[in-house]
């Protein structure tokens, strides 16, 4: 069947079933009441360079052990998914344009299979590819982009081998994995999304190996609520909200990844999460290397954490991770900082050549330590204090050296303000002052945010609040994302 115009039918456009075959080329199939092309019960048609569009339900429907070769077709503007595959069907979907669907691009469910390769899937209202209910397709060499929802959505025990695709510029997550699903993603490029790169939630599992995940508006990877994936050998970079965020009881094994050049922390661990990080390189972050807070746990072993703008590892607010045999070095702030009633077990780590110091502990912090080597740190905080400098001179308002901080009652400073010891001696001499504690802060006196001008510092800044902890990352929630961009302060 070649170059036919099949349209406005009251059923499907073309129906192949009971081992039917046929060759269908350059047909225009549109505005039929059910699918444009239906394949059922062992049928195995070859469909080439057809245009299948504006169906009142889906474009192509393959079910009940259907097969078929669908090659170089244009499948678009259908009311439901462009391609449906279900009930042990196993078609080949190759080199098609699948776009502008009123729902998803390719929908594989009910133990569907299929080879989905070299397609251009874009502009669909729901996920570019959706895999659910123990379906297990092979998805490779596709471009999945500019969707109004996510790129690939795997849920309800979905599986699949997803490799060497380019997934980019989607409105929600590049890949969503949830509810007992276990896909394998290898060598994909997942980038430039408007939210998260890869999002594991509600017991989403699977393997994420050797992918490039970069330039997302949120973090590159998020793991939460019982999800326990294996994340190995990936490059995760350029996240505007950090590299990897593990929260709300998330787990996971992160091994041999390179996590770098993220705008916030390379890895966040929070709210009772307990991942394992082994032999990763976490570096050149524009915030900290690893931030653990709000009861976060985790085992960190044999990682290299270096050249980060804030602390190599920041541990805060009732957290208790285990750090073993890590190398934490060349940081632009401290190597390890522990604050806000947190603690840690530190064994056989090497902490060296960090700007503010090696291991910095706030008042009341008592970690378990054994066999650590802390050496050749620059100790610029102690040098500044000994030299009579305001600590703001070495930190500005972008980093937070740990030292004694005070409040001045005469100047009516608040819980949000901190004053370093040298400003207390010089700028607030004779005032009613109070020692608060040893903790991380920048000096508000040196920042020019108090009433009296600092005598040890130059021009004031516009910043008015001392920031003790890194800003909290934005967290993704199922189908509806809640934006959190808050500054958190210690409990005094």
């Amino acid at each position: 069947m070649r170059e036919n115009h099949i349209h406005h039918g009251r059923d499907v456009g073309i129906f192949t079933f009971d081992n039917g075959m046929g060759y269908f080329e350059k047909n225009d199939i549109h505005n039929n009441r059910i699918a444009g092309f239906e394949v059922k019960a062992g049928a195995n048609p070859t469909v080439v360079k057809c245009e299948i569009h504006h169906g009142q339900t889906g474009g192509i429907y393959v079910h009940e052990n259907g097969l078929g070769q669908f090659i170089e077709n244009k499948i678009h503007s259908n009311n439901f998914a462009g391609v449906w595959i279900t009930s042990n069907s196993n078609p080949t979907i190759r080199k098609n344009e699948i776009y502008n669907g009123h729902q998803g691009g390719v929908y594989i469910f009910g133990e569907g299979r299929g080879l989905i390769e070299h397609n251009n899937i874009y502009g669909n209202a729901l996920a570019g590819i959706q895999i659910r209910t123990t379906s297990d397709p092979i998805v490779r060499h596709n471009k999945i982009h500019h969707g109004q929802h996510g790129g690939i959505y795997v849920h309800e025990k979905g599986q699949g081998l997803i490799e060497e695709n380019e997934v980019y510029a989607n409105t929600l997550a590049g890949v969503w994995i949830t509810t007992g699903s276990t896909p394998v993603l290898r060598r994909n490029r997942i980038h430039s999304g408007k939210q998260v790169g890869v999002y594991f939630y509600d017991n989403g599992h699977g393997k994420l190996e050797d992918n490039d995940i970069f330039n997302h508006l949120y973090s590159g990877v998020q793991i939460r609520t019982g999800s326990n994936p294996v994340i190995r050998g990936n490059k995760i970079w350029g996240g505007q909200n950090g590299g990897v965020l593990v929260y709300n009881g998330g787990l996971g094994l992160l091994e041999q990844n390179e996590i770098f050049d993220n705008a916030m922390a390379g890895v966040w661990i929070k709210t009772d999460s307990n991942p394992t990080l082994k032999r990763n390189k976490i570096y050149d972050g524009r915030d900290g290397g690893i931030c653990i807070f709000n009861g976060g746990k985790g085992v960190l072993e044999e990682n290299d954490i270096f050249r980060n703008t804030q602390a190599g590892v920041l541990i805060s607010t009732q957290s208790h991770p285990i750090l073993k045999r890590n190398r934490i070095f060349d940081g632009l702030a401290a190597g390890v900082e522990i604050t806000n009633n947190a603690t840690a077990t530190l064994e056989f780590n090497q902490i060296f050549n960090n700007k503010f110091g090696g291991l910095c502990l706030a008042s009341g912090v008592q970690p378990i330590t054994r066999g650590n080597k802390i050496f050749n740190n620059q100790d610029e905080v102690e040098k500044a204090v000994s030299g009579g400098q305001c600590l703001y001179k070495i930190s500005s308002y972008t980093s937070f050296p740990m030292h004694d901080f005070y409040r001045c009652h005469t100047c009516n400073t608040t819980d949000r303000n901190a004053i370093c010891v040298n400003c207390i001696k010089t700028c607030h001499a004779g005032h009613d002052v109070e020692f608060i504690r040893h903790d991380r802060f920048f000096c508000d006196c040196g920042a020019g945010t108090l009433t009296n001008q600092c005598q040890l510092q130059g021009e004031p800044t516009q910043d008015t609040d001392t920031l003790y902890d890194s800003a909290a990352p934005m967290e993704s929630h199922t189908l509806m994302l809640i934006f959190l961009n808050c500054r958190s302060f210690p409990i005094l």
Side-chain angles (χ1 to χ4, degrees), residues 296-367:
K297 303 182 184 69
V299 177
L300 284 56
E301 290 188 275
E302 299 179 7
N303 301 283
D304 276 357
I305 304 164
F306 59 99
R307 290 202 309 258
N308 296 289
T309 302
Q310 302 292 350
V313 180
L314 171 62
I315 304 166
S316 183
T317 49
Q318 289 82 45
S319 298
H320 189 167
I322 298 170
L323 283 71
K324 294 182 178 180
R325 296 183 296 279
N326 301 282
R327 299 197 309 168
I328 304 166
F329 60 99
D330 291 353
L332 302 182
V336 177
E337 293 184 331
I338 309 178
T339 183
N340 283 359
N341 300 310
T343 187
T345 299
L346 307 172
E347 296 182 339
F348 305 106
N349 300 284
Q350 296 182 48
I351 307 172
F352 58 96
N353 200 36
N354 298 287
K355 180 178 178 182
F356 290 167
L359 175 60
C360 299
L361 307 177
S363 296
V365 171
Q366 295 180 321

Side-chain angles (χ1 to χ4, degrees), residues 58-359:
I60 296 168
Y61 181 32
V62 188
H63 62 118
E64 296 181 33
N65 297 290
L67 299 167
Q69 307 278 324
F70 295 86
I71 302 169
E72 296 184 2
N73 302 284
K74 290 185 177 180
I75 304 162
H76 65 93
S77 309
N78 295 286
N79 280 350
F80 294 167
V83 179
W84 299 52
I85 303 170
T86 186
S87 52
N88 296 299
S89 296
N90 192 20
T92 296
I93 312 294
R94 180 184 292 129
K95 294 184 179 179
N96 302 280
E97 299 271 331
I98 303 171
Y99 61 98
N100 292 352
H102 298 171
Q103 291 192 5
V106 179
Y107 179 32
I108 307 163
F109 65 103
E111 300 182 343
R113 297 173 64 194
L115 172 60
I116 318 297
E117 65 177 3
H118 295 288
N119 300 284
N120 190 14
I121 302 171
Y122 60 95
N124 296 287
L126 297 180
I129 297 178
Q130 183 178 170
I131 304 168
R132 63 184 286 249
T133 48
T134 64
S135 295
D136 191 14
I138 296 171
V139 178
R140 63 188 182 197
H141 302 295
N142 301 283
K143 290 186 176 181
I144 304 163
H145 59 102
H146 290 94
Q148 299 170 43
H149 192 273
I152 300 174
Y153 182 28
V154 190
H155 61 121
E156 296 179 43
K157 298 184 179 179
Q159 300 173 52
L161 174 61
I162 301 168
E163 60 182 8
E164 299 185 73
N165 302 281
E166 186 163 13
V167 182
Y168 62 98
N170 294 288
T171 301
L172 300 182
V175 181
W176 304 55
I177 300 169
T178 183
T179 49
S181 298
T182 56
V184 176
L185 285 82
R186 292 195 180 110
R187 298 184 299 279
N188 300 283
R189 283 168 45 90
I190 303 167
H191 65 96
S192 308
K194 298 176 183 177
Q195 291 187 1
V196 181
V198 182
Y199 182 26
F200 297 89
Y201 67 99
D202 292 352
N203 297 299
H205 309 307
K207 293 182 179 179
L208 190 63
E209 297 179 330
D210 301 319
N211 302 279
D212 272 356
I213 303 169
F214 60 97
N215 289 352
H216 290 92
L217 186 61
Y218 285 16
S219 49
V221 177
Q222 290 193 10
I223 305 168
R224 72 176 180 98
T225 48
S227 296
N228 191 17
V230 174
I231 299 176
R232 181 183 291 123
N234 304 281
K235 292 183 179 179
I236 302 170
W237 55 278
Q240 294 304 303
N241 202 229
V244 179
L245 169 59
V246 190
Y247 65 110
N248 291 1
L251 301 166
L253 169 62
L254 283 71
E255 186 173 38
Q256 296 180 318
N257 302 284
E258 287 194 41
I259 303 170
F260 61 97
D261 194 29
N262 294 287
M264 296 176 69
V267 179
W268 299 87
I269 302 170
K270 57 175 285 192
T271 48
D272 300 312
S273 295
N274 193 16
T276 298
L277 281 67
K278 289 185 176 181
R279 296 185 291 279
N280 301 283
K281 292 182 178 179
I282 302 169
Y283 61 98
D284 288 346
R286 285 168 268 166
D287 198 280
I290 300 175
C291 292
I292 307 169
F293 61 109
N294 291 355
K297 303 182 184 69
V299 177
L300 284 56
E301 290 188 275
E302 299 179 7
N303 301 283
D304 276 357
I305 304 164
F306 59 99
R307 290 202 309 258
N308 296 289
T309 302
Q310 302 292 350
V313 180
L314 171 62
I315 304 166
S316 183
T317 49
Q318 289 82 45
S319 298
H320 189 167
I322 298 170
L323 283 71
K324 294 182 178 180
R325 296 183 296 279
N326 301 282
R327 299 197 309 168
I328 304 166
F329 60 99
D330 291 353
L332 302 182
V336 177
E337 293 184 331
I338 309 178
T339 183
N340 283 359
N341 300 310
T343 187
T345 299
L346 307 172
E347 296 182 339
F348 305 106
N349 300 284
Q350 296 182 48
I351 307 172
F352 58 96
N353 200 36
N354 298 287
K355 180 178 178 182
F356 290 167
L359 175 60

Side-chain angles (χ1 to χ4, degrees), residues 391-405:
L391 290 186
Y392 187 80
K393 198 166 186 70
I394 66 167
S395 71
S396 76
Y397 62 87
T398 60
S399 58
F400 321 105
M402 187 174 287
H403 207 266
D404 296 343
F405 77 82

